Amino acid sequence: MECRVLSIQSHVVRGYVGNKSASFPLQVLGFEVDSINSVQFSNHTGYSHWKGQVLTADELHVLYEGIKLNNVHQYDYVLTGYTRDTSFLEMVVDIIQELKRANPNLVYVCDPVLGDHGSMYVPQNLYPVYKNKVVPVADIITPNQFEAELLTGKNISSQKDAVEVMDLLHAMGPDTVVITSSDLPPRLGDRFLVSLGSQRHVRPDGTRVTQRVRIEVPKVDAVFVGTGDLFAAMLLAWTHHYPNDLKTACEKTFSVMHHVIQRTISYAHELAGPGRRPSPPQLELRMIQSKADIEDPAIVTEATVIS
């Protein structure tokens, strides 16, 4: 059965960020994707210069109304990422609530982009909108450690803390929470990064169960743009294929990320030359070249089920 996704994210002419990081891999995996560009830039903001336009809440509303007038607003998933405007974010929430009234089974996947490493990189007034309006209507969220701590008001300094934070996020609304990166000490050594996930679901007999997983992924010494968008899209896809198996969904998702990043960094170093740090254009994700890995990723890291 055809699965339709509405992706409301940024768009760049050059490179892979936002909708371009999400749409191609989702389409490769068989999803029909309709994209609304929250911004349209020449390139991502990691370059020295960029030009473009930002979509307003009113303009988003006009686009959505056009979709509705033609009665083509039947979606199975909504996917959102980076935004800097509160009115735009509130309009996204209104659209999702309306779509959920039409289809109670719609799944909203949200990357709550607020900041990282102890500081916010969006305006402060977005925080209460995410906490009080966005997260409560989300079904799957992919915060990093900083964002998870910010949304719950609880610090993470141990795996037990992380589990408690994920439970607090569940209580706010989402049934699936994946903390994409953390500062927890990896068991495999300093060259790895710890991620954690938690998923609630109801068994056929009506009992509610929670599966929690921990996964350690290799670190890469480079700054990539668009990886969060790709991660959220892949988690959408693999939780669709493995709806009650977060362990497998995470293994598939993180393995796709690994293959795309490794291909990207190898190509970037080849272009940059020995001893030279790759530039933003050289570090654009090698998405098209990774098509086979997106479709059928070789598992490179196994998740551990934790209590």
Side-chain angles (χ1 to χ4, degrees), residues 99-116:
L99 290 172
K100 283 196 168 196
R101 284 193 292 271
N103 175 16
N105 294 319
L106 180 139
V107 174
Y108 171 33
V109 181
C110 171
D111 182 6
V113 182
L114 290 163
D116 204 358

Side-chain angles (χ1 to χ4, degrees), residues 6 23 30 37 41 45 71 80 87 95 129 131-132 141 154 194 197 217 227 245 247 251 255 257 279 281-282 299:
L6 176 61
S23 295
N37 300 330
F41 285 173
T45 56
N71 194 31
T80 66
S87 60
I95 289 170
V129 181
K131 182 173 182 178
N132 300 322
I141 59 169
K154 179 176 174 59
V194 177
V217 293
T227 49
D245 184 359
K247 180 181 185 295
E251 288 170 350
S255 293
M257 299 302 299
S279 65
Q282 292 166 342
I299 302 302

